[in-house]
Amino acid sequence: MKTVIVVGNGMVGYKFCEKFVAKETNKDFKLIVFGDEPRPAYDRVHLSEFFENQDAKALEMAPAEWYTENGIELMVNERVTDINRDEKTITTANNRDFSYDYLVLATGSSAFVPPIKGAEKEGVFVYRTIEDLEGMLAYAALLKTKNPNAKAAVLGGGLLGLEAGKAVMDMGLEPHIVEFAPKLMPRQLDSRSSQVLQLKLESIGLHIHLSKATNQILGGKAITGMEFGEDDVLDVEMLIISAGIRPRDELGKSSGLKMGVRGGIVVDNKMQTSDKHIYAIGEIALYNQMIYGLVAPGYEMATVAVDQITGNLENKMAEEIDMSTKLKLIGVDVASFGEPFMPATKGHSVIFENKTQHLYKRINVSLDGKKLLGGILVGDATDYSMLHQIYLNGMPIPSDPSQLILPAGDGAASFGSAMDLPDTAVVCSCEAVTKGQVCCSVKDDGNETVKDVAKATKATTGCGGCKPMVTDLVNETLKSLGKVVKERICEHFDYSRQELYDIVKMKHIKDYDELLDTHGKGNGCEVCKPLAASLFASIFNETANRQDTIQDTNDRYLANIQRNGTYSVVPRVAGGEISPKQMIAMGRIAQKYDLYTKITGGQRIDMFGAQLHELPLIWEELIAEGFETGQAYGKSLRTVKSCVGSTWCRYGMDESVSFAIEIENRYKGIRSPHKFKGGVSGCIRECAEARGKDFGFIAVEGGWNVYIAGNGGATPKHALLLAEKVDKETAIKYVDRFLMYYIQTAQPLMRTAAWLDKLEGGINYVKDVVINDCLGIVDQLDVEMQRLVDTYKCEWKEAIETPEIKAKYTHFVNSTEEDENIEFVSLRDQKMPAPWV
């Protein structure tokens, strides 16, 4: 039996192990793995998620038991210090020697710390390991006890630097990004896309400092600031250095392996070093004079090394490595593929930019306009997977390439289906899974769900970015086999949401237990219970109070739970119109209960920090002042935003505020597959942003234009024109029908924009349904909407007037005492939850 020693148990080292144990010949080898961190391999790509739950186990690639079960000897917290190539042995820091037949170096990289005076001070950290993050959390907590408004800077505006910026925000510190280059993410983005990203990040609270060369770190024992030049100082109490990485190639140097001029162990296309018994993979491997810092190339290197060691000598690294990548940075989509930067002599660039929505899309096409050469996406990377495949496979593009990045008129993609890809197209780059493998897994192996295909092929198990495309491939393959593709709710109900909607409605089932007994199995779960609750509400206008145990937490307590266990209270302010008397009352109530107040983007006031037992007391006072629930916690109407219209504005074409109030009061309390919002603009200057809402009305000469299926957020969509120049009554009637049709046919948690994108025929089909009555159902839709309008109840009022409902608002089931563990700190003369430690 031959011995393979793997030095390094990061993501790439783990992938080597995973690929190795999958080989039938693995029984001929003994596998020993060394990691110098005190834990098994974990997902460093999603390291920032540690700040959300501080659960290191959630990041594990596999538990320690997995190594034992697969016959792997794992040694954590043991660093390899020396390689004796002549004797084919390694020595550890514990002075232990181990012999190998093959040695795989997967030591990865370490954080690069620039030679800046003062970098050794307290409060200066690198962003690389879980231990680094634990140190930051402890230091941040200490800072905030002394200064609740403490500031922290991140040195580096690249990918890791922005991730560290999110970490600073999660720790409750004021975040500053300091970058030497004149733009963010200089290796991935061009100047214009970087500016769009900067605007978005600044809008959510990051302070960006570009073109800054740090001369020294100020302070005595601990950092107090950063100095960039004379009179150019940034006062901060903490610094996270994320200025790049350096390969941890010390073992290669000390053992005399061939090295790159700037570091890295030189390897060939078999991942062999200058010693045929030693392989290098991941961020220490210098292949084609490059270090590849992405997960996908590292995984491919691991696969090649496994094949070479186990006898499959045909598998070698490709000459060119695809560096395309899709990321989500602090909630912002960022992607680049192919050649993101391209000289004008090689091709043309087509650019779509919308700074108001923080959107930027650029594609580069060949001079003859026939090939896609690369591109950049910021703000909306929905089309990344398909664009990437078009680039990789040299697929033909439209004669007007702008169609690839501009939304198609009917809501459909302009470049066809994932089934148009060749079978050799790699759809999951992390695991090198092709379209053909996915389809064959369905056709030949009988895997009929994405979960089963993922288990069989490993597709979607890496970064997860390929999941939408894999889902489409599975569904389309099933359809090609003549099988019905059904979106099953969960294991307890073998129905789609639409089917269960019809069952509940036609059989008049009003209780979850009855529904489960008659049409389901098992005990239900966190997926089907809230879904059923939503159906009961959408069909019978049942409030969340009657069956509270099947509701989401927010619906159960009629308020949004916050990160410290308190709740927010958001009364309805229809159309954004509020009287001075009501404003005074709201201020008095917020002051009485010491609530943090903020004006929301939907023209109402949010009050944060209410404890559970205080909710009925606050609601009672608000209702006495004429307020009612604003449903901010529910999958229902949130707000109908309005401008002041012709009442005050000299440009106003019609009275938008009154219309907005009428509409908000009409649709309030209606439950749907997801939240929905509206807007009413008094003229085409569009101050209410009606075209960024699920439904919108814009006053024009001759009536109202009606728009549907828009939304803001991470993937903004402009609403599409449903009807133009119609009177108010007709406009309301069309939106009534649209909303009812959406409520009846959409999948769970699907916004109207996504619903319309998936709906065959798009906006033209919706027009046929709600205007031309092509299905003969508009009378029924009208009746159902009116019934929901007529049966509205304020859930807050119901809760305070019903003793058994009111009684559940206690922190403890056996006591009426308050929760003494809730802590707050000051924030600009108000309060905020104490940071998690």
Side-chain angles (χ1 to χ4, degrees), residues 568-572 600 604-607 628-632 796:
S568 66
V569 178
V570 191
R572 187 168 303 285
T600 73
R604 53 187 183 182
I605 296 172
D606 206 340
M607 298 183 287
E628 62 186 7
T629 174
Q631 244 94 30
W796 286 356

Side-chain angles (χ1 to χ4, degrees), residues 123-353:
V124 179
F125 297 87
V126 294
Y127 184 81
R128 196 64 184 158
T129 68
I130 287 178
E131 285 67 40
D132 294 332
L133 271 57
E134 288 174 336
M136 292 177 206
L137 284 165
Y139 198 81
L142 181 64
L143 283 180
K144 292 188 71 63
T145 61
K146 301 173 183 177
N147 177 14
N149 301 314
K151 302 175 184 178
V154 176
L155 185 61
L159 167 60
L160 290 177
L162 296 181
E163 283 290 301
K166 180 182 186 300
V168 171
M169 295 181 74
D170 290 340
M171 289 187 288
L173 304 175
E174 182 179 298
H176 292 259
I177 302 290
V178 178
E179 168 57 42
F180 176 76
K183 62 179 181 178
L184 294 174
M185 295 186 69
R187 292 190 176 188
Q188 290 89 4
L189 301 181
D190 60 13
S191 295
R192 293 175 69 169
S193 59
S194 181
Q195 288 172 9
V196 171
L197 177 62
Q198 180 178 345
L199 286 171
K200 176 61 178 177
L201 296 181
E202 287 174 337
S203 73
I204 60 177
L206 265 75
H207 302 268
I208 310 293
H209 310 267
L210 302 176
S211 302
K212 295 290 186 184
T214 307
N215 291 339
Q216 63 174 319
I217 296 170
L218 304 175
K221 184 180 178 183
I223 178 176
T224 59
M226 303 169 69
E227 187 255 301
F228 309 116
E230 190 175 351
D231 299 326
D232 190 0
V233 172
L234 176 63
D235 294 326
V236 290
E237 292 101 314
M238 182 173 170
L239 173 64
I240 301 172
I241 296 177
S242 184
I245 58 173
R246 286 287 170 86
R248 294 185 57 189
D249 54 10
E250 301 88 355
L251 288 173
K253 292 175 184 174
S254 63
S255 61
L257 295 176
K258 185 179 179 181
M259 307 294 295
V261 176
R262 297 185 178 180
I265 301 173
V266 175
V267 296
D268 59 16
N269 60 2
K270 296 181 287 188
M271 305 320 297
Q272 276 184 345
T273 67
S274 53
D275 184 327
K276 66 179 181 179
H277 299 290
I278 302 178
Y279 295 77
I281 57 178
E283 291 172 330
I284 63 160
L286 186 70
Y287 178 60
N288 286 345
Q289 298 301 308
M290 274 195 67
I291 296 287
Y292 296 92
L294 297 177
V295 169
Y299 283 3
E300 181 60 24
M301 290 177 182
T303 303
V304 170
V306 167
D307 283 345
Q308 291 292 324
I309 291 172
T310 56
N312 179 13
L313 305 180
E314 298 300 316
N315 187 17
K316 299 175 183 177
M317 284 296 288
E319 192 65 28
E320 293 186 11
I321 304 298
D322 180 30
M323 295 296 286
S324 304
T325 184
K326 176 185 174 185
L327 312 158
K328 187 173 283 291
L329 296 171
I330 321 182
V332 184
D333 280 351
V334 178
S336 66
F337 62 95
E339 296 185 60
F341 315 114
M342 193 185 66
T345 55
K346 192 171 182 180
H348 304 293
S349 295
V350 180
I351 296 173
F352 169 75
E353 183 175 18

